[in-house]
Structures are given as C-alpha cells and as structure tokens.
Amino acid sequence: MKSSFYNLAYLNKIYENLFFKHAKKIYNSGRYISGKYVNKFEKSFSKYNKSSYSIAVSNGFDAIKLSIYTLKLLYNYDKNDEVIVPANSYIASILPVNLFELKPVFVEPEKNFFTIDPLEIKKKISSKTKIIIVTHLYGHVANMIEICKLAKKYGIKIIEDCSQSHGSLVNKKKVGNFGAMGCFSLFPSKSLGSIGDAGIITTNNKKINNILRNLRNYGENNFLDYNKRKYLNKYKGFNCRMSEFDAALLSIKLKDLDRINLIRKNNVQLYLKKIKNKKIILPKIKKNTQPSWHQFIILCKNRDRLKKYLLKHKIETKILYPVPPHKQKAYSEYKNLKLPLTEKIHNENLALPIEIHHSKKNILRVIKYINNYN
C-alpha cells in the first residue's frame, strides 16, 4: 500500500465530533460569514501569535493582496514602484503585486537556505523600492534581523508571507510580527488548515488593522453586528471574508498547532540524523531560528529519478515547486532573467513525508530507501 504524502481526512478526524457540534450551531443560526466564530478565531490567533491584531480573510492570496493595497493607500505608491519578492517562492507570493500596477523585483535566496538573501536585497534596492515581501518558505525563517535593518535604513515596508510558517520563531519571536503585516494562508494542507480556503493577517499597527477590516468587506466602515451595518464605503474594497465554518474548525485546531508542529519536528530530526546518502543535500537551520517544518525539502541532482525510485517502493513525495515564477508563462517578460540558485532549487527539490500520520517506522523506512539510492 502506498504511503500517502497528505492525509487530510486523517488529520481532521480527531476534530470531527467537536467541529460538527459547532457546525450545527452555525447552520441553525443563519449567520455563516464574519460572525462570532470569526471574531473568536481572530482573538485566539492574536493571542497565539502574540500580535496586537488579526484580521480573518478569505485566503492567503487575498491576505497579501489586501496588505499591499493597504500600504498603497497609506503611502500613495506610483505606478511601477517596485516590490522586492523572493525569486524561489510560489507564484502566489508575487501575483498580488501586479494587481496594483507595481513591479516585482526578483531576489535570490541565501546560498545554503531557501529564504530571501538580505545581501541580494540590498543590491536590488532603488529609489522606487517601496515594499519587501519576505516568504518564510517551507517553515524556514528568513533573516529578519538584517532585512528589518535594511527596511528601516531605506524607509521600505515589509510584508511577511507566513503561509508556510505558522509558529516559526526568530529569537523566540513569532513570524508575522516583524513587518507591517504578516499574511497566513489557512488552506487545508497548511500547518493550520481549514476545510476550505481561508487566511489571516496579523499586524501590530492599529491604523493598518482598521483599513484591512474595511477593505475585506467592500471597503465598508467596520461593524461587528450585521444588524448595525450601514453600507457606507470608505474605500474601493474587496469581498475577502472568512466563513464561520472555517473559523470554527480553525479555532479548534489552533489549540493543537504546537503539538502537531512538534511531531513534524521529531520526524524531521530523524531525517537529519539518519540520512547519510552523499547524493542528498539536507536543509540547514539558521542560527537563533525555530522552523515550523511545514515541508521537509531535500535537494538531489537527479530528483525525478529519485522520486520515481521512491514511488516504486510506495513512498509518495512532492515537488514544491517544479517551475520558478520567472520561468512561468504568466511572467514571460522575465524568461531571460538569470537566477541560478532559484533554478537549481526548482530543478532539484523534493519534499519528503513528515505529517503526523507517518509513524517513526514509516519515516525510518523512507530513510532506508534514500540511503540505498545510488
């Protein structure tokens, strides 16, 4: 029997009874969007992440979209002002930049890590640079100390893409607290996953919090009680609201997030300790950081061959991601851009299974076949 990479039904099974109890209450209430469950989840997430404010939204993409637009409203960015983006992130970190006629500037990762390189950021900063989007990829944390120094020196705002880093730490401080905003995807397969699309934005700035709450609901003045809704629109906003059903499940699962992260960490430590094949490059951990290990990514020159070999032995793996953004048809204007480290990662990366439905025995079996690979 093939060992599945994800098993979301298994992961959510333990929450079934409690979730259905709340789902029935929501169903019978007639209030399905932006109600008391969303409000409760926002408060719980702020407490967990030690952030002053959390704004529940429809998905991680919209979280970044709303964050960029908020900064654009506050600072009146011009057409073709520049946003520094990680070259090796998923395209969802970059697409929102184009929605507001801003220009993405691709920056390579640090040589021994998967996150954006502060030295390369510095080289790309110009008079038109307004925002740096930092993606804490695979749960690894970017060098926020140096990036924050650069942002302060040049008057640039930071948006953290935390979609793969729920619970990751830098010097014991959780991601989502370093930039103007932290954007979290809550897609079902994320470390904290909903039953549909969902996302949340963190900020420690009251003004930003207020604008985001307006923007997510058509730009209307914020309200908690739908009976007091006045349909007064302060901004040209969007429809980016969270479902009560998603908020109910997320509130339940949030209490369990640290336990789940610890199980994945234990699986990762087995890989790091016992994989000895010289054809495999293992991920490194930055000093003073605690990754949340959303994914465990190895690099291998003959990645596709390794993937087929493992599948032959009923071990499912994932490629995250096969094609970098600047090589996608959607960004054909960048097709001649030379980004060797990014291209190497996309050509060689392979995600090994680490989710909690994989027992220690399963992980050791994966290690055995990787060490026997030649």
Side-chain angles (χ1 to χ4, degrees):
M1 181 178 177
K2 184 172 72 174
S3 178
S4 60
F5 189 84
Y6 291 122
N7 189 336
L8 297 181
Y10 174 89
L11 292 175
N12 286 325
K13 183 71 176 176
I14 59 173
Y15 311 112
E16 181 180 295
N17 291 338
L18 186 55
F19 170 66
F20 284 146
K21 179 182 175 182
H22 289 293
K24 186 175 181 180
K25 289 181 179 179
I26 295 167
Y27 186 82
N28 290 333
S29 75
R31 176 71 181 272
Y32 306 139
I33 293 172
S34 300
K36 67 178 183 179
Y37 281 92
V38 169
N39 293 335
K40 178 186 175 183
F41 175 59
E42 289 177 332
K43 290 174 183 175
S44 298
F45 196 85
S46 286
K47 184 177 179 181
Y48 172 81
N49 211 60
K50 295 182 170 58
S51 304
S52 299
Y53 308 99
S54 293
I55 303 93
V57 295
S58 41
N59 55 66
F61 178 89
D62 285 343
I64 298 174
K65 177 179 75 178
L66 293 174
S67 295
I68 293 173
Y69 190 42
T70 296
L71 294 179
K72 192 172 187 288
L73 288 171
L74 283 171
Y75 301 106
N76 298 312
Y77 299 149
D78 293 326
K79 183 178 179 180
N80 288 325
D81 274 344
E82 294 174 353
V83 179
I84 286 175
V85 297
N88 63 308
S89 179
Y90 181 55
I91 199 169
S93 303
I94 301 159
L95 287 170
V97 174
N98 301 98
L99 292 178
F100 304 107
E101 297 186 304
L102 301 173
K103 180 183 177 183
V105 176
F106 295 90
V107 171
E108 289 262 70
E110 292 183 87
K111 186 174 182 181
N112 294 314
F113 304 100
F114 295 117
T115 51
I116 194 167
D117 188 341
L119 295 176
E120 293 300 314
I121 289 175
K122 188 174 181 179
K123 292 177 186 177
K124 296 293 179 72
I125 290 174
S126 74
S127 61
K128 295 181 75 64
T129 306
K130 305 302 179 186
I131 302 171
I132 300 170
I133 294 179
V134 176
T135 300
H136 303 298
L137 198 62
Y138 311 135
H140 293 280
V141 187
N143 189 340
M144 295 311 300
I145 306 304
E146 294 304 316
I147 293 170
C148 287
K149 286 179 184 176
L150 285 172
K152 185 177 180 180
K153 180 178 179 180
Y154 294 99
I156 302 167
K157 300 302 176 184
I158 297 171
I159 295 173
E160 293 176 79
D161 178 359
C162 310
S163 296
Q164 299 185 2
S165 58
H166 312 67
S168 296
L169 298 162
V170 185
N171 291 334
K172 299 182 180 180
K173 182 177 179 179
K174 284 191 172 138
V175 298
N177 290 301
F178 291 91
M181 302 92 155
C183 301
F184 295 78
S185 169
L186 304 171
F187 181 77
S189 64
K190 300 299 183 186
S191 303
L192 178 63
S194 60
I195 50 171
D197 268 325
I200 198 159
I201 307 168
T202 56
T203 184
N204 294 301
N205 183 296
K206 186 176 181 179
K207 189 171 185 179
I208 287 174
N209 168 65
N210 291 338
I211 294 173
L212 286 167
R213 290 183 183 281
N214 293 156
L215 290 178
R216 71 175 173 182
N217 189 60
Y218 300 107
E220 286 185 30
N221 292 339
N222 191 40
F223 57 88
L224 291 177
D225 184 349
Y226 261 76
N227 294 323
K228 296 179 181 179
R229 185 178 184 182
K230 296 182 179 179
Y231 298 94
L232 297 175
N233 300 74
K234 189 173 182 179
Y235 305 103
K236 297 173 183 175
F238 303 90
N239 178 359
C240 298
R241 300 168 300 199
M242 181 183 283
S243 152
E244 286 281 272
F245 294 100
D246 284 315
L249 180 61
L250 289 164
S251 291
I252 296 166
K253 293 177 72 174
L254 181 60
K255 297 173 184 176
D256 214 18
L257 178 57
D258 286 340
R259 182 185 73 85
I260 300 298
N261 281 348
L262 181 60
I263 293 171
R264 281 203 300 270
K265 179 182 176 182
N266 290 338
N267 286 338
V268 163
Q269 287 176 337
L270 275 176
Y271 283 136
L272 292 174
K273 182 179 179 181
K274 294 185 175 293
I275 291 177
K276 302 298 182 184
N277 192 325
K278 291 182 179 180
K279 293 181 183 292
I280 307 300
I281 298 175
L282 297 171
K284 293 180 173 59
I285 304 171
K286 287 190 185 72
K287 189 177 180 181
N288 299 323
T289 71
Q290 294 180 40
S292 57
W293 298 109
H294 173 61
Q295 302 289 353
F296 182 79
I297 304 293
I298 61 171
L299 299 180
C300 180
K301 285 186 177 179
N302 294 310
R303 183 266 315 280
D304 293 341
R305 182 167 169 262
L306 173 61
K307 181 175 174 60
K308 289 178 182 177
Y309 161 81
L310 291 172
L311 191 58
K312 180 181 176 182
H313 293 285
K314 299 184 173 19
I315 298 167
E316 186 180 18
T317 57
K318 296 287 182 185
I319 298 172
L320 302 168
Y321 303 94
V323 181
H326 72 287
K327 293 294 184 183
Q328 298 280 2
K329 188 175 181 180
Y331 281 111
S332 57
E333 65 268 35
Y334 294 101
K335 64 183 178 182
N336 294 322
L337 200 60
K338 302 298 181 186
L339 297 167
L341 277 176
T342 291
E343 289 160 24
K344 175 183 171 66
I345 289 169
H346 286 262
N347 288 333
E348 298 182 6
N349 83 84
L350 192 66
L352 302 184
I354 57 170
E355 286 291 355
I356 66 170
H357 66 285
H358 292 284
S359 65
K360 181 178 179 179
K361 182 179 178 181
N362 288 343
I363 300 297
L364 290 172
R365 182 173 178 273
V366 177
I367 292 166
K368 170 190 161 186
Y369 282 108
I370 286 179
N371 284 339
N372 289 338
Y373 172 75
N374 56 49

